[in-house]
Amino acid sequence: MRVLVAGATGAMGRQLLPRLVAAGHEVHGMTRSESKQALVQALGAVPVVADALDPEQVARAVAESRPEVVVHQLTAIGPMDMRHFDRAFAQTNRLRTEGTDHLLSAARAVGVGRFVAQSFFAGYDRVGGAVKTEDDPFGTAPPPGMEQTVGAIRHVEDGVLAAAWTQGLVLRYGGFYGPHTSLGPDGEQAEAVRQRKFPVVGDGGGVWSFVHIADAAEATVAAVERGAPGVYNVVDDEPASVATWLPVLADALGAKAPMRVPRLVGRLLAGETGTVMMTELRGASNARARRELGWTPAHATWRDGFRELGAQVPAGGGAAA
């Protein structure tokens, strides 16, 4: 099939493009930067330059590439700031609202048959059990300070799922780790753990779901090729509390055990948003993706993945050469 990937040079795009090419698809990679065309080509795809926030450029890019499938991976995530989460995600939120609308409009105009879009597991309502399925309430009660970000995620999901003219699939990814992510060998989150700037807040009872970026890309290829329209959690097999996974990550990175701070101190360090994510977040089940996409993560649990991550970091921190 002809597949257009919007957001072709991000952490996901770098994993996804070569996998789609290897699967026999004709891949076009949309990037905003003229200078990144060579990277798109190196990944095996045809570069398409367009600013996702410019509707005319998006319409032209989609019309020229004539895709049968569009994959929406548009993000622009800068340095993380838990105290001002929505501000840190402001550009990504525009891409998830305006950018989504432009892509959907352009895709409809050329008759795209399948539209696959990125979402995130952390929008599940923080009530009830610790592990959620796709049928549980999502995005109706976002953590304080994440209202705009969760609202933008809901905008993506609602728009894609309501598009009766195409087959819309939404992938609620777990927290990414691996190459070119913030939890990579030289990533921002990994460095914060090494410097003991990522404490366990309160009881650390917030439950997180992770997925290695390569496994997430494999699931995305599966969603391009098969699966009924709808929502799929793309996460590994082991949702876990912060109090469980964070010490394991620190050990894998050769760092001292994370500090533990009361919730009140956590609010001062990470704001209410970070505190809620550390103490109240709900994880997600991957049963539907395994069953209906035929996807099995190579990193079945973050425990395996974190050990692999740690092996890529030399003594003293920093990425391996």
Side-chain angles (χ1 to χ4, degrees):
M1 295 181 289
R2 284 191 305 278
V3 182
L4 174 65
V5 177
T9 60
M12 172 58 75
R14 295 176 191 223
Q15 297 283 334
L16 180 58
L17 265 60
R19 284 176 168 80
L20 288 169
V21 172
H25 302 296
E26 178 186 322
V27 184
H28 297 250
M30 192 175 103
T31 176
R32 182 171 59 91
S33 174
E34 294 271 358
S35 64
K36 291 185 178 178
Q37 291 183 89
L39 174 57
V40 174
Q41 289 177 321
L43 294 169
V46 178
V48 181
V49 178
D51 182 346
L53 298 178
D54 185 319
E56 293 185 2
Q57 291 187 31
V58 173
R60 183 169 59 251
V62 174
E64 290 177 356
S65 57
R66 298 178 296 110
E68 297 162 84
V69 183
V70 168
V71 182
H72 176 1
Q73 298 287 344
L74 294 168
T75 59
I77 300 171
M80 186 56 62
D81 181 358
M82 287 291 188
R83 294 180 61 82
H84 305 96
F85 197 93
D86 278 339
R87 187 167 69 190
F89 273 78
Q91 188 67 5
T92 291
N93 293 342
R94 287 193 67 194
L95 291 170
R96 286 175 170 163
T97 52
E98 298 170 47
T100 298
D101 291 346
H102 300 335
L103 276 175
L104 284 170
S105 177
R108 184 172 190 175
V110 301
V112 168
R114 199 166 180 85
F115 195 106
V116 180
Q118 176 185 136
S119 183
F120 188 49
F121 86 97
Y124 281 106
D125 289 1
R126 305 179 317 281
V127 295
V131 180
K132 302 300 184 181
T133 73
E134 294 85 348
D135 297 325
D136 285 310
F138 184 90
T140 66
M146 286 183 66
E147 293 90 351
Q148 295 173 26
T149 301
V150 174
I153 291 170
R154 280 290 304 269
H155 186 93
V156 174
E157 295 202 0
D158 292 346
V160 172
L161 297 175
W165 47 270
T166 191
Q167 296 180 328
L169 287 81
V170 168
L171 306 182
R172 289 179 182 158
Y173 296 122
F176 289 154
Y177 66 94
H180 305 291
T181 73
S182 66
L183 194 47
D186 57 351
E188 176 188 2
Q189 289 187 52
E191 187 60 26
V193 172
R194 283 193 291 265
Q195 295 183 10
R196 302 190 81 200
K197 294 180 179 179
F198 200 139
V200 176
V201 176
D203 65 357
V207 176
W208 292 37
S209 281
F210 290 97
V211 65
H212 191 283
I213 190 71
D215 290 327
E218 292 285 356
T220 308
V221 174
V224 165
E225 299 177 339
R226 57 188 177 270
V231 179
Y232 297 87
N233 292 328
V234 176
V235 299
D236 72 16
D237 295 346
E238 189 183 356
S241 69
V242 175
T244 299
W245 64 257
L246 185 52
V248 175
L249 175 60
D251 182 67
L253 294 174
K256 294 181 180 179
M259 293 187 292
R260 303 186 72 103
V261 300
R263 186 165 179 145
L264 179 61
V265 176
R267 286 196 186 97
L268 297 175
L269 295 174
E272 185 63 20
T273 304
T275 299
V276 167
M277 293 183 73
M278 297 285 278
T279 59
E280 300 179 17
L281 208 63
R282 292 331 194 239
S285 164
N286 66 11
R288 179 178 293 176
R290 277 180 164 272
R291 182 178 66 248
E292 298 185 23
L293 296 181
W295 170 71
T296 301
H299 303 79
T301 165
W302 47 268
R303 296 178 190 275
D304 301 330
F306 288 177
R307 280 194 294 268
E308 180 181 299
L309 177 64
Q312 298 167 358
V313 181

